[in-house]
Amino acid sequence: MTQALQLFRDGPVTRLRMSRPQVHNAFDDHLIAELTDALVAVGADAAVRVLVLEAEGPSFSAGADLNWMRGMAAASEEDNRQDSLALARLMRTLDELPKPTIARVQGAAFGGGVGLIACCDIAIGVPEAKFGLTEAKLGLLPAVISPYVINAIGPRHARRYFASAEIFDAEEACRIGLLHAVVNPTALDTAVKRQIDLLLKTGPAASASAKQLVRATCAHADGARHDADNAALIARLRVSPEGQEGLSAFLDKRKPAWAGQERS
């Protein structure tokens, strides 16, 4: 890791921390590449059960770095297309990461920062946090992050906030689905830890596959095929070692092998 991105391991939990507080953890091409590479490595690490995405300083992420944007404004359309594809790869890698993900939102998030939050499975923020999809103020749109933001807040809210570029607070972010919970800053780490503990009590393969099930369910147009796919999935899980252990532990009134002890 570099000064811009730090990685911390605590047993089965990995924390990725954006560390550019001097620019409010804004993206540039280097941070995008580092985040993507780190996520790919975490996704391939069988020892990792949970990923927490967090940031240093008063802001979660201000979106695009201004100096980077100046450079891209002077670049060719093809260079801009390749640059946007790199950001798209980052968002898709986070969204499809085969691990449960938690966004620890300690401050403001704009543009691509909102996209990162939307790509995480669980998002917890503080009341002071502000949010905005402000690209329209620049004559742009949040096109690359739009699939993930729309999935998080729904098309009706997306139409409003994409078009108006207005800033909204944490209460509104929770109401529309961008955040799952809003807690006082002193309780943020406790709330994140509670979600980690809940995730570590679930079957590793089951919790890692949950987002795939949701994605497949939302994408299915063929009801009968969907029923068949879901039946095949649960049958596969029931006869797997994890499923067998989970069912046996339940029937034996004991903790499954993966649950372990409560984390301090």
Side-chain angles (χ1 to χ4, degrees):
M1 294 296 99
T2 67
Q3 290 184 343
L5 183 66
Q6 300 178 51
L7 184 149
F8 304 92
R9 284 289 296 268
D10 180 13
V13 180
T14 290
R15 292 176 178 268
L16 273 181
R17 180 179 300 166
M18 294 178 285
S19 298
R20 302 184 78 214
Q22 71 279 9
V23 291
H24 299 279
N25 298 305
F27 299 154
D28 61 10
D29 52 345
H30 299 295
L31 182 58
I32 288 171
E34 289 176 18
L35 267 171
T36 303
D37 290 345
L39 289 169
V40 169
V42 167
D45 189 340
V48 177
R49 293 280 313 277
V50 179
L51 172 74
V52 179
L53 182 63
E54 57 189 28
E56 182 181 344
S59 301
F60 181 77
S61 175
D65 181 279
L66 290 178
N67 289 326
W68 177 49
M69 289 180 67
R70 287 192 187 99
M72 295 316 301
S76 68
E77 182 173 344
E78 177 59 21
D79 286 341
N80 273 276
R81 189 178 74 86
Q82 292 300 325
D83 187 76
S84 295
L85 284 173
L87 180 60
R89 180 170 180 253
L90 166 60
M91 295 296 164
R92 187 163 298 281
T93 302
L94 177 57
D95 184 66
E96 297 182 357
L97 196 77
K99 317 279 180 180
T101 54
I102 302 172
R104 179 189 181 276
V105 186
Q106 92 296 358
F110 298 98
V114 174
L116 290 177
I117 296 168
C119 288
C120 288
D121 303 317
I122 301 167
I124 304 172
V126 299
E128 296 80 5
K130 302 294 182 183
F131 305 86
L133 296 151
T134 55
E135 287 84 349
K137 291 180 179 178
L138 305 176
L140 306 173
L141 284 173
V144 171
I145 65 172
S146 63
Y148 315 104
V149 176
I150 292 169
N151 279 340
I153 71 176
R156 185 66 168 166
H157 295 305
R159 286 166 64 169
R160 171 186 176 179
Y161 288 113
F162 285 9
S164 70
E166 64 192 281
I167 306 301
F168 53 96
D169 61 18
E171 181 181 356
E172 174 70 355
C174 195
R175 185 186 74 84
I176 65 178
L178 182 63
L179 296 178
H180 291 97
V182 178
V183 301
N184 289 328
T186 55
L188 181 58
D189 287 327
T190 299
V192 170
K193 178 183 177 298
R194 178 178 180 273
Q195 291 298 320
I196 292 171
D197 289 342
L198 289 170
L199 290 167
L200 293 179
K201 290 177 181 176
T202 65
S207 63
S209 300
K211 69 186 75 182
Q212 296 172 357
L213 173 61
V214 174
R215 186 179 297 111
T217 298
C218 292
H220 252 292
D222 184 335
R225 174 64 183 274
H226 189 196
D227 291 345
D229 286 348
N230 282 346
L233 171 62
I234 192 61
R236 187 164 63 251
L237 291 173
R238 285 176 182 170
V239 300
S240 71
E242 181 176 300
Q244 292 288 297
E245 168 63 9
L247 291 171
S248 295
F250 176 76
L251 295 173
D252 296 342
K253 297 182 179 179
R254 60 176 174 81
K255 287 184 178 181
W258 61 73
Q261 301 297 318
E262 295 293 330
R263 294 169 60 81
S264 61

